Amino acid sequence: MATELHLVSKTGMFQEMEARQHRMTADEPENNHGTDKGPAPYELLLASLAACSSATLRMYAGRKGFELGTITADLKFKRDADGNEKIERVISFSENISEERMERIRDIIEKTPVTKTLKRGTPIVTRFE
């Protein structure tokens, strides 16, 4: 579990980040004042949820000894006119999964670490130096 991230922002909306030995970028699309040199922050948030969802399901299936095949995750962040936000997550598998296993998978997906963090609304403490 990555617990630290270092970000350097020199100009504009383009961001460079490091998590352990991995380098990442973020940016906004051109229609939102960016240069589109990387995913937007909300896209990175969705990527985190998708990756955690898939990895957790793979771990569960591996422990139980069954195959999921290719996992596909499609996520959308939505905000309505009143400011209410939600994430829609659609997961599919290339393998046929029995209804009994799907019932358990439905329980597991709601308990993935990133899902739980987002649903619980983890407090953010900010300090300026």
Side-chain angles (χ1 to χ4, degrees):
M1 177 166 124
T3 57
E4 294 183 22
L5 181 109
H6 176 72
L7 176 137
V8 176
S9 177
K10 295 179 183 176
T11 184
M13 304 301 268
F14 181 71
Q15 314 292 319
E16 296 178 280
M17 299 163 282
E18 293 178 7
R20 295 178 292 120
Q21 73 272 19
H22 305 286
R23 299 182 62 75
M24 299 173 282
T25 61
D27 201 353
E28 290 288 346
E30 290 178 4
N31 66 1
N32 198 26
H33 312 289
T35 56
D36 205 16
K37 293 180 182 172
Y42 276 102
E43 291 166 332
L44 292 170
L45 176 71
L46 294 176
S48 296
L49 179 57
C52 182
S53 299
S54 176
T56 302
L57 292 177
R58 288 238 180 260
M59 189 174 7
Y60 171 74
R63 285 182 187 158
K64 297 299 181 181
F66 67 91
E67 288 295 322
L68 299 171
T70 300
I71 299 173
T72 303
D74 292 297
L75 288 83
K76 291 180 183 174
F77 178 87
K78 295 187 173 187
R79 183 181 295 130
D80 67 20
D82 295 327
N84 299 309
E85 299 173 338
K86 70 177 177 180
I87 295 172
E88 293 178 353
R89 172 176 54 186
V90 178
I91 307 288
S92 60
F93 310 101
S94 66
E95 292 288 323
N96 289 325
I97 311 294
S98 72
E99 186 53 39
E100 181 182 326
R101 285 187 174 152
M102 279 305 301
E103 191 173 312
R104 186 64 181 130
I105 286 171
R106 287 184 193 97
D107 291 336
I108 296 294
I109 197 82
E110 297 303 323
K111 296 174 184 171
T112 68
V114 174
T115 298
K116 288 168 52 175
T117 295
L118 290 172
K119 285 186 169 187
R120 129 177 105 230
T122 302
I124 299 171
V125 178
T126 304
R127 187 177 75 240
F128 292 94
E129 296 179 345

